[in-house]
Amino acid sequence: MIKQANWIKAPADFGEVCPVFKKTFAASKEVAGATVLLSAIGVYEAHLNGKRIGDFIFAPGWTAYQSRVQFQEYDITGLLLKENPHEPEKPPVSENTLEITLGRGWSGAFSWYRHITYPQYPQSAIICAIKLKYADGTEEIIISDESFNAAKSNILYSDIYDGEIYDARPSKKEWVPAEIADYPKDILIPQQGDYVREIEEIKPVKFIKTLIKERIIDFGQNLTGYVKINTKKPSGDVIEFRHAEVLREKGTFRFYTENLRTALQRMTYISNGEQTEYKPHFTFQGFRYIKLDKWSGDVDLDDFTAVVVHSDMKRTGYFECSNEKVNQLFKNIIWGQKGNFLDVPTDCPQRDERCGWTGDAQVFVRTASYNYDVKRFFEKWLADLAAEQYEDGGVPAVIPNPIGEMYANSTAWGDAAVICPWQIYLTYGDSDILKTQFDSMKKWVDYVRSVADENLIWTEGTHFGDWLALDNGEGANSGATPKEYIATAYFAYSTSLLIKAWKVLMKDSCEKNSIKNELCRKNPSQYDLDETDPIKNNLNEMELSEYENLYKDIVAAFQNEYIKDGKLTVKTQTAHAVALYFDLCGENKASTVKDLADMVIANGNKLTTGFVGTPYLLHALSDNGYSEVAYSLLLQEEFPSWLFSVNKGATTIWEHWDGIKEDGSFWSEGMNSFNHYAFGAVADWMYGVVCGINTDENAPGFEHVILKPVPDKRLEHASASIDTKYGKLSSKWHYEGESGKIIYELEVPNTATITIGDNTYETGKGIHRYETDHDQIN
Ligand code: BGC
């Protein structure tokens, strides 16, 4: 229905003022029900008869706008006027007013380039269809066209990075007919992701006046959203404040905005003289503090509320232990997810980026999927990834992609195309994600195959490498692990996951078609399979065997290139962690993990890893008998470590291990976010090893659970739980007094294989209790 409507825009001379569109309509008969379908190039907020339609913030969300723009459907029956309020003696004829305010949002000058991202949409536009269902069974459809009027709204300026300027003073609106925008309609798709909503509110904890007379309000938590003010100022009075994540401690103590780069994060409000509650419309900020640059009179903290905004995902995962600093770390990871899951998995929410960096999402996806139900969230984002993927299978660095081909195809970033769907399949056990993403997954592996050398070592291209690792000298962005080493390792890993996905789909397809697996797999073309069936379209055993051979060849090439005399030739923590986690060491596993553990211990139980090595480091150690060393890294408090940032007062995860250095100074201004979830990927080790919660790959979605908690005496107790689709899964353990005994209480929603010390038990649904001695923990 929405495709019958027209894209409409405001006259170009509105400049930077956000337009508001208006349509009045009367229902000619008694109405039984009404809906409205809405979308925009930009972000919209709609009201019917003065009441807000729905509660989706930043609708219609952010997608690959050149090919996919979501539309939303709202039931507006309850918002329609029942009768003409002015002439009650006449038959019920309702004169309703629909108003839609429009901001540029992500379709504007987005990314740090600040140029127009989507030149095909030079102006923002809306599209809308109202459907009135009458009691007599007939219908009437009202569509957006030139009969809609446009006027300047009170939002004089709006930008995601820079904030908003809002003039609350009444002004006479000059309504002019809206203009038709010649934008395509085949890009319109129904809402696919989660709705973005205002999720919680936080009151200030402190008012700070610095020696240089700055008035700062501290909300006690670094967050993403905006500030709501409730105040009364004289008409024309200007309120202005900026947002920041941290205060500068070293040198002059002050508000610190240098790490925001060009993002102003500034709100300006011009009062109309009334008591008003005001919050901005089409902008969000990453902040813990605001600085009042213009505020007349005293400051009453009651007038300020921080509104936390993110995709409305259901919380599913919890972790708690006896170490309060580790608990704070876990809390910071949760806040990192809240702050960066605003419709798209972003790197950070504050500086002039806020983009869907593929590498960051890939690193964090498992943790994210345990903490919250992110199935829909990733289905949408991965559909955008597939839509943005290049013909040759290459993957842009950010999805949706406002930066063109720059930085595209980096190893570990582009691999998000394979790793993310595989993880979403594992966590939720629904193979549809593999079915819809399979082409994209295969295209990425084929792309890497096409650009790797003849001997399957991937030496070409631009790669980020072990981003922000510490083993390459002060100030380096990429760590010391050679990029071609990482690239070849990921080539092998993604190929192995593609093969697994392939097998899942073949199995599914044969089962669905009730064809004997063996026969169908061998020769799918003989069977009358559904056109959409992946097996029909080239997924067959013969081609699969080609990829299985490819995988073996990459592993052999890797070993040939990087293992000499049973040792990895690249002597970095990341090189070892990756080789172990991706299972590339062959018979040299034991010596590789020993070398890794020795390196960590020789470095004072401290890590040196960046984005690539960090998510695997602890797993590589504990999977291979060195859980004590992994625990030492988790519990390390000196720089560099996770708890170093906690000791420095962090309430979210920092981009850099040394975002704030020991002496209180900052890492360089250019790239120093305090809300970057990537290093928070350590939470999947807390769930998966400390509490031992894992799903069986052959019965994913926790249909069959593998439970193998690995306690350590340095924690008295730990517990984690995940709400799975089969019910609650939880794992708790504690040390009992001085006895050295460990008591376990495990609740499984289905069957499970439980390993406690040296013993393995096959169990059914229910609560299971065990005890063991510390010495039995491996
Ligand atoms: C982002 C990262 C991203 C990186 C690419 C940065 O500017 O904030 O998180 O992955 O660029 O290396």
Side-chain angles (χ1 to χ4, degrees):
M1 180 172 86
I2 195 162
K3 291 183 187 162
Q4 297 166 21
N6 303 283
W7 286 107
I8 53 169
K9 59 184 183 182
D13 65 6
F14 276 33
E16 290 191 320
V17 179
C18 291
V20 54
F21 298 89
K22 182 163 88 167
K23 173 75 182 174
T24 50
F25 60 94
S28 50
K29 295 182 264 186
E30 192 190 338
V31 175
T35 53
V36 63
L37 304 184
L38 277 169
S39 188
I41 297 292
V43 277
Y44 71 80
E45 200 180 282
H47 289 84
L48 185 60
N49 302 318
K51 296 216 173 80
R52 173 94 194 236
I53 299 177
D55 55 2
F56 186 172
I57 315 286
F58 307 114
W62 191 19
T63 44
Y65 287 149
Q66 73 282 7
S67 56
R68 289 161 39 85
V69 177
Q70 299 180 123
F71 66 85
Q72 290 76 40
E73 178 164 6
Y74 305 95
D75 186 335
I76 50 168
T77 319
L79 299 180
L80 288 175
L81 294 179
K82 294 287 175 289
E83 56 186 334
N84 187 330
H86 307 298
E87 297 168 278
E89 69 284 358
K90 287 196 172 167
V93 173
S94 313
E95 182 74 6
N96 296 283
T97 306
L98 174 68
E99 286 194 325
I100 305 161
T101 313
L102 181 62
R104 214 37 176 126
W106 294 284
S107 78
F110 205 70
S111 97
W112 57 100
Y113 293 125
R114 302 288 191 126
H115 58 53
I116 291 297
T117 312
Y118 299 96
Q120 65 271 48
Y121 310 128
Q123 251 182 282
S124 50
I126 56 153
I127 189 162
C128 151
I130 304 161
K131 188 189 211 171
L132 299 172
K133 280 189 241 156
Y134 293 119
D136 63 7
T138 57
E139 278 184 6
E140 187 182 342
I141 292 177
I142 300 159
I143 56 167
S144 47
D145 56 18
E146 292 108 320
S147 73
F148 278 52
N149 284 322
K152 291 180 178 175
S153 74
N154 296 62
I155 306 171
L156 305 187
Y157 176 81
S158 164
D159 180 275
I160 287 191
Y161 300 130
D162 292 338
E164 177 169 300
I165 303 174
Y166 188 90
D167 189 345
R169 290 171 297 184
S171 60
K172 189 158 165 23
K173 290 209 165 24
E174 285 173 28
W175 293 99
V176 292
E179 296 172 5
I180 303 289
D182 184 21
Y183 296 162
K185 291 188 235 171
D186 56 359
I187 56 175
L188 289 163
I189 55 162
Q191 173 71 24
Q192 186 182 18
D194 289 315
Y195 285 80
V196 177
R197 294 199 165 99
E198 293 183 349
I199 305 288
E200 60 194 287
E201 294 193 340
I202 293 188
K203 291 302 285 182
V205 293
K206 218 196 300 180
F207 177 68
I208 301 165
K209 194 148 186 192
T210 63
L211 288 173
I212 53 169
K213 299 206 166 23
E214 293 170 322
R215 291 173 298 171
I216 297 171
I217 292 173
D218 177 4
F219 289 93
Q221 173 63 53
N222 198 22
L223 60 92
T224 301
Y226 35 75
V227 172
K228 182 165 79 178
I229 50 173
N230 193 332
T231 189
K232 186 175 177 184
K233 301 280 182 217
S235 178
D237 209 44
V238 178
I239 295 171
E240 194 164 279
F241 51 90
R242 289 195 67 189
H243 304 67
E245 296 186 288
V246 286
L247 302 180
R248 194 174 85 150
E249 302 281 345
K250 195 169 154 68
T252 309
F253 175 66
R254 64 168 170 82
F255 197 67
Y256 185 78
T257 49
E258 284 87 328
N259 67 326
L260 305 175
R261 302 200 306 221
T262 68
L264 288 177
Q265 296 217 115
R266 182 167 63 203
M267 234 49 69
T268 306
Y269 174 82
I270 305 160
S271 176
N272 58 3
E274 313 272 314
Q275 179 77 34
T276 1
E277 185 179 273
Y278 162 76
K279 58 189 179 188
H281 300 78
F282 306 124
T283 179
F284 62 86
Q285 320 303 327
F287 66 100
R288 170 175 166 171
Y289 304 94
I290 57 169
K291 172 163 74 78
L292 300 175
D293 290 326
K294 292 182 186 160
W295 180 274
S296 59
D298 292 341
V299 176
D300 180 353
L301 293 186
D302 267 356
D303 293 351
F304 301 86
T305 307
V307 183
V308 179
V309 178
H310 56 84
S311 290
D312 198 354
M313 318 160 282
K314 182 174 167 278
R315 177 84 186 265
T316 48
Y318 300 85
F319 175 89
E320 199 268 328
C321 70
S322 56
N323 182 320
E324 278 313 317
K325 290 180 180 174
V326 174
N327 291 341
Q328 181 65 44
L329 169 66
F330 187 77
K331 211 171 149 201
N332 295 357
I333 294 167
I334 294 291
W335 274 100
Q337 183 162 354
K338 291 184 195 184
N340 285 295
F341 274 53
L342 198 159
D343 211 32
V344 162
T346 55
D347 56 337
C348 57
Q350 74 300 85
R351 68 174 177 232
D352 51 5
E353 288 207 47
R354 315 185 191 187
C355 289
W357 283 94
T358 49
D360 307 41
Q362 174 271 110
V363 161
F364 191 67
V365 61
R366 190 188 313 161
T367 289
S369 69
Y370 290 172
N371 288 339
Y372 286 89
D373 181 349
V374 291
K375 186 167 179 284
R376 276 169 68 95
F377 182 90
F378 270 97
E379 281 166 357
K380 162 181 170 282
W381 186 71
L382 286 167
D384 286 314
L385 187 151
E388 300 270 23
Q389 204 165 357
Y390 301 114
E391 268 303 289
D392 64 2
V395 175
V398 294
I399 303 290
N401 179 19
I403 62 166
E405 288 186 25
M406 182 161 270
Y407 305 129
N409 307 326
S410 167
T411 187
W413 270 250
D415 291 278
V418 177
I419 294 171
C420 294
W422 179 249
Q423 185 58 52
I424 293 300
Y425 165 68
L426 285 186
T427 303
Y428 303 110
D430 181 352
S431 60
D432 276 359
I433 188 77
L434 298 181
K435 194 166 165 180
T436 44
Q437 293 302 127
F438 188 79
D439 273 347
S440 157
M441 297 166 82
K442 185 160 173 288
K443 269 171 79 179
W444 170 251
V445 171
D446 288 343
Y447 168 78
V448 179
R449 178 156 66 159
S450 75
V451 291
D453 300 352
E454 238 165 64
N455 63 356
L456 299 174
I457 302 295
W458 185 9
T459 54
E460 297 296 313
T462 310
H463 301 287
F464 295 116
D466 191 17
W467 193 244
L468 310 185
L470 297 167
D471 50 7
N472 207 13
E474 174 78 15
N477 281 338
S478 293
T481 311
K483 291 175 182 172
E484 60 269 21
Y485 177 101
I486 297 170
T488 309
Y490 266 95
F491 180 20
Y493 186 52
S494 279
T495 307
S496 75
L497 299 185
L498 178 74
I499 292 168
K500 288 183 184 185
W502 202 317
K503 290 183 175 166
V504 169
L505 293 178
M506 291 212 309
K507 185 167 162 267
D508 267 19
S509 179
C510 294
E511 277 170 10
K512 198 180 87 200
N513 290 289
S514 336
I515 298 164
K516 220 171 147 234
N517 267 341
E518 276 301 290
L519 288 175
C520 169
R521 262 192 258 165
K522 286 225 153 62
N523 204 346
S525 58
Q526 281 187 7
Y527 296 88
D528 185 22
L529 300 173
D530 181 335
E531 274 310 315
T532 62
D533 201 303
I535 238 184
K536 175 108 182 167
N537 305 307
N538 81 22
L539 272 177
N540 59 58
E541 211 150 71
M542 223 159 56
E543 215 195 330
L544 170 60
S545 66
E546 191 189 315
Y547 284 80
E548 287 176 322
N549 290 334
L550 171 67
Y551 173 68
K552 283 187 207 134
D553 293 344
I554 310 167
V555 174
F558 178 90
Q559 293 179 349
N560 189 37
E561 188 77 15
Y562 298 114
I563 302 182
K564 296 275 174 293
D565 304 324
K567 299 257 181 208
L568 286 186
T569 54
V570 178
K571 306 288 179 201
T572 62
Q573 292 182 11
T574 289
H576 285 66
V578 163
L580 284 162
Y581 193 83
F582 292 173
D583 199 12
L584 300 174
C585 312
E587 59 195 18
N588 305 302
K589 229 176 184 173
S591 64
T592 308
V593 71
K594 183 170 180 313
D595 289 350
L596 174 59
D598 287 349
M599 266 189 276
V600 171
I601 294 165
N603 197 39
N605 284 314
K606 290 176 185 172
L607 49 73
T608 57
T609 50
F611 275 31
V612 167
T614 305
Y616 306 131
L617 180 62
L618 271 52
H619 287 285
L621 288 163
S622 58
D623 285 355
N624 297 290
Y626 285 84
S627 60
E628 268 190 49
V629 182
Y631 263 104
S632 299
L633 288 167
L634 177 72
L635 300 174
Q636 177 62 261
E637 296 196 26
E638 286 174 16
F639 169 78
S641 67
W642 285 278
L643 298 189
F644 173 74
S645 67
V646 170
N647 282 341
K648 285 276 180 195
T651 59
T652 37
I653 300 294
W654 296 351
E655 178 175 25
H656 289 262
W657 295 115
D658 50 355
I660 299 175
K661 294 175 189 279
E662 269 163 304
D663 68 357
S665 62
F666 292 115
W667 211 85
S668 91
E669 291 166 3
M671 221 180 46
N672 199 11
S673 145
F674 293 95
N675 196 354
H676 235 75
Y677 53 56
F679 290 149
V682 69
D684 75 46
W685 192 80
M686 303 186 196
Y687 287 108
V689 179
V690 176
C691 292
I693 296 179
N694 290 286
T695 185
D696 183 346
E697 272 193 18
N698 297 315
F702 302 99
E703 186 186 350
H704 181 78
V705 176
I706 311 277
L707 265 169
K708 190 183 174 201
V710 182
D712 184 281
K713 269 191 188 139
R714 286 166 283 180
L715 295 184
E716 287 151 33
H717 60 85
S719 64
S721 67
I722 297 178
D723 292 328
T724 75
K725 67 176 169 188
Y726 301 100
K728 186 174 171 189
L729 166 57
S730 77
S731 166
K732 282 188 210 175
W733 53 258
H734 69 271
Y735 280 86
E736 199 183 51
E738 297 295 298
S739 71
K741 283 216 174 320
I742 311 163
I743 314 292
Y744 301 81
E745 189 178 295
L746 311 170
E747 182 177 358
V748 290
N750 239 335
T751 58
T753 303
I754 296 177
T755 303
I756 301 292
D758 298 332
N759 299 314
T760 297
Y761 313 88
E762 298 298 334
T763 68
K765 176 183 164 72
I767 298 178
H768 306 282
R769 294 189 178 79
Y770 304 91
E771 63 173 64
T772 189
D773 290 326
H774 178 78
D775 298 346
Q776 278 174 272
I777 301 301
N778 48 24

